[in-house]
Amino acid sequence: MPVQSQSVTLKVSDNSEMRVYAAKPAELSPAAGIMVFPEVFGVTAYLRSVTDRLAEHGYLALCPEIFHRTAPAGWEGDYGDFKISMPHYQALTNDQLALDAKASFDWLASQGAKKIGCVGFCIGGRISFLANATLPLQAAVSYYGGGIAPDLLPQAKDQKAPILFHWGGKDQHLTPTVVKSVKDALRTAGKEFISTVYSKADHAFDSQPRPNYHAESAELAWVSTIAFLKLHMSKP
């Protein structure tokens, strides 16, 4: 369906301002919202396309500029030079990310979203886990979320909604040991989750601009993500 998009500036509770890219179906007033948490390169054309695709499925979707405290509005990293993103990445704290997620959640609610979920990529996958521990979500999706283990494992017990994980089987950073530690923490806490490993995929396999993009795995993960969101976002 046709999509309308806009940039909106939100006030975060630490008095910082955060711009978000928002998209919604042009002909509907969505009753459900999705937060799209970006990878380390910011709200790039790739992340805007993910946000648009979720709007095409009927959601009010937004993607926040999580580096707003250290980078100017509209900042985008360079996929060919990770070092450009590092100062912004290293300056982030989990407390700040939780505040950004809360500001995003509150804006979606203010626009009429009665049910809210999230999807995150890389560092955004970590934010999905964090947001699901701190906000009353209906569903959460984490694509190759770095930094969940070990730092956020104590928050496994706080997960509010079912969570879906996508991992790359060839990922040398998020190894089977890391993945197992996340699953074990959630299983011990009695939380509902799905964890899928794509054996042909490396880290960042969904990111089209990056060399690790793996089309088959990305398509399978997307179909699973949409089905997971539809199932849990439609529950009473």
Side-chain angles (χ1 to χ4, degrees):
M1 62 181 71
V3 167
Q4 292 179 340
S5 63
Q6 63 177 324
S7 291
V8 180
T9 299
L10 308 183
K11 194 79 169 180
V12 184
S13 62
D14 63 358
N15 293 319
S16 63
E17 291 188 342
M18 177 177 69
R19 195 166 79 167
V20 304
Y21 175 81
K24 67 176 183 177
E27 300 174 2
L28 294 175
S29 296
I34 300 290
M35 299 178 288
V36 181
F37 297 122
E39 54 189 3
V40 73
F41 302 100
V43 184
T44 59
Y46 156 60
L47 266 300
R48 294 192 294 272
S49 73
V50 171
T51 307
D52 288 346
R53 290 172 73 189
L54 286 164
E56 290 170 1
H57 282 274
Y59 297 105
L60 172 59
L62 68 76
C63 187
E65 296 185 357
I66 58 172
F67 298 133
H68 60 93
R69 294 175 183 85
T70 56
W75 179 88
E76 295 184 24
D78 183 344
Y79 283 107
D81 190 354
F82 182 72
K83 294 190 298 294
I84 293 175
S85 299
M86 280 305 291
H88 306 297
Y89 171 77
Q90 292 173 337
L92 281 176
T93 69
N94 287 328
D95 288 343
Q96 290 171 338
L97 292 172
L99 295 180
D100 293 347
K102 179 65 163 57
S104 300
F105 180 95
D106 289 347
W107 185 81
L108 289 172
S110 75
Q111 301 302 302
K114 305 299 184 186
K115 299 178 181 179
I116 298 173
C118 66
V119 178
F121 301 84
C122 196
I123 183 177
R126 179 191 354 154
I127 304 171
S128 282
F129 192 89
L130 181 63
N132 197 34
T134 57
L135 297 169
L137 303 184
Q138 271 65 52
V141 181
S142 172
Y143 279 74
Y144 33 86
I148 296 174
D151 293 353
L152 295 183
L153 291 185
Q155 296 194 37
K157 68 182 186 310
D158 302 317
Q159 296 295 295
K160 304 292 192 297
I163 184 166
L164 168 64
F165 296 94
H166 301 298
W167 311 99
K170 296 182 178 181
D171 194 327
Q172 297 299 304
H173 176 59
L174 302 176
T175 62
T177 300
V178 172
V179 173
K180 182 178 184 298
S181 70
V182 175
K183 296 192 314 185
D184 286 349
L186 289 164
R187 190 175 291 114
T188 298
K191 299 300 179 178
E192 183 177 352
F193 70 95
I194 297 172
S195 181
T196 305
V197 176
Y198 300 82
S199 62
K200 297 180 180 179
D202 206 330
H203 188 76
F205 66 81
D206 188 76
S207 186
Q208 295 175 3
R210 300 175 72 175
N212 285 352
Y213 174 65
H214 191 264
E216 179 183 349
S217 300
E219 179 59 24
L220 288 170
W222 181 255
V223 171
S224 177
T225 293
I226 294 301
F228 183 82
L229 292 174
K230 182 178 180 180
L231 174 65
H232 294 290
M233 300 288 282
S234 63
K235 289 183 176 180

